């Protein structure tokens, strides 16, 4: 018999699992609550200068931890056998906790690394079936698509010195986004200087926010062209996902037919940027990344134009 916690993969952010997992929990429980949460927490971008992987510096500037009830366990402290791990995961699900952990995808049949390489990555377990000895998990499948799968208990192998988290999402109440708040966020996006100073006082490390983060993505592309290096496609997904979230807000706030139409075109172009990035990743053709850089520049200029229009316009 299946024992599953509410979960969905139908979420607006799939670029990073640390976003899609919690959103999958919120959306499965209340779509209205989830939409309000996203429209308040996924409008700003950040660029982390202190980041190990090129291109991975770009992310959403959001903070989930106030809404999580979670605790961590060190693997080598509690899991002396695989049976101990399996029973622990089942117990947490029985107690309404989702299990968020890192595992070795070499052993997962539904992953691209299966039987090829030892690749440590995170998964979310949201259910199990004891009769079939199956866990229900979410993550990127063997086709690199964000999906849900069933795995055998024996496939779950933790790497050394990794931890497991048991998490539950607390109730969070957000009202529907209004025009005043949206305009304020978009102003901070186009003029992030004060926002950056405020964030620095809290984080004490070097970061860029808003449009300045996107300009750094453009610089990253120029470095890829110069060095003929590999490309990280994730930041282009993030850029596209944020534009789609704003597209939904523009429609909800009824900001005008012209803005809606032009933003639709902007989203289409950003989607094409993702496609070009995938082409370059696969074929390593320089003309693809040159085209990508040109189109990204056009998108940035159009985005700035439309957001300036929204900020300046006095809507009825």
């Amino acid at each position: 018999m299946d024992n599953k916690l509410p979960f969905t993969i139908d979420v607006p952010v799939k670029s990073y699992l640390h976003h899609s997992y919690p959103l999958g929990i919120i959306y499965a429980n209340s779509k209205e609550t989830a939409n309000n949460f996203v429209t308040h927490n996924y409008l700003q971008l950040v660029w982390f200068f202190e980041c190990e992987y090129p291109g991975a510096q770009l992310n959403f500037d959001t903070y989930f931890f106030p809404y999580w009830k979670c605790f961590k366990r060190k693997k080598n402290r509690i899991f002396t056998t695989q049976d101990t791990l399996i029973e622990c995961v089942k117990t947490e699900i029985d107690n309404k906790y989702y299990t968020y952990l890192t595992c070795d995808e070499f052993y997962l049949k539904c992953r691209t690394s299966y039987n090829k390489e030892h690749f440590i990555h995170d998964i979310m377990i949201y259910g199990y079936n004891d009769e079939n000895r199956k866990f229900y998990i979410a993550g990127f499948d063997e086709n690199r698509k964000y999906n849900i799968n069933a795995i055998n208990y024996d496939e779950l192998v933790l790497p050394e010195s990794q931890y497991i988290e048991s998490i539950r999402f607390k109730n969070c109440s957000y009202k529907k986004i209004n025009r005043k708040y949206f305009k304020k966020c978009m102003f901070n996006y186009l003029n992030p200087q004060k926002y950056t100073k405020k964030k620095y006082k809290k984080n004490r490390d070097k970061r860029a926010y808003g449009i300045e983060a996107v300009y750094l993505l453009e610089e990253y592309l120029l470095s890829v062209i110069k060095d003929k290096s590999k490309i990280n496609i994730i930041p282009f997904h993030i850029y596209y996902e944020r534009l789609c979230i704003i597209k939904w807000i523009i429609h909800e706030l009824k900001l005008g037919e012209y803005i809606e139409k032009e933003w639709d075109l902007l989203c289409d172009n950003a989607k094409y940027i993702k496609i070009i990035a995938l082409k370059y990743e696969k074929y390593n053709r320089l003309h693809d990344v040159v085209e990508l850089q040109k189109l990204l520049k056009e998108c940035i200029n159009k985005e700035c134009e439309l957001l300036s229009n929204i900020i300046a316009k006095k809507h009825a």
Side-chain angles (χ1 to χ4, degrees), residues 38 69 119 123 125 127 184 233 239 246:
V38 167
K69 182 180 180 181
F119 180 65
I123 63 171
I125 303 178
K184 179 183 176 182
I233 63 173
Y239 181 69
I246 294 177

Side-chain angles (χ1 to χ4, degrees), residues 64-104:
F64 273 111
F65 294 110
Y67 310 106
W68 281 121
K69 182 180 180 181
C70 69
F71 55 91
K72 300 178 182 179
R73 290 192 177 104
K74 289 288 185 181
K75 182 229 173 185
N76 53 10
R77 290 181 184 174
I78 63 166
F79 303 128
T80 54
T81 66
Q82 189 178 45
D83 288 339
T84 310
L85 168 62
I86 292 169
E87 290 305 315
C88 173
V89 173
K90 288 164 52 181
T91 299
E92 295 312 308
I93 292 172
D94 290 340
N95 292 327
K96 310 303 181 185
Y97 277 89
Y98 299 78
T99 305
Y100 186 14
L101 52 81
T102 51
C103 68
D104 191 342

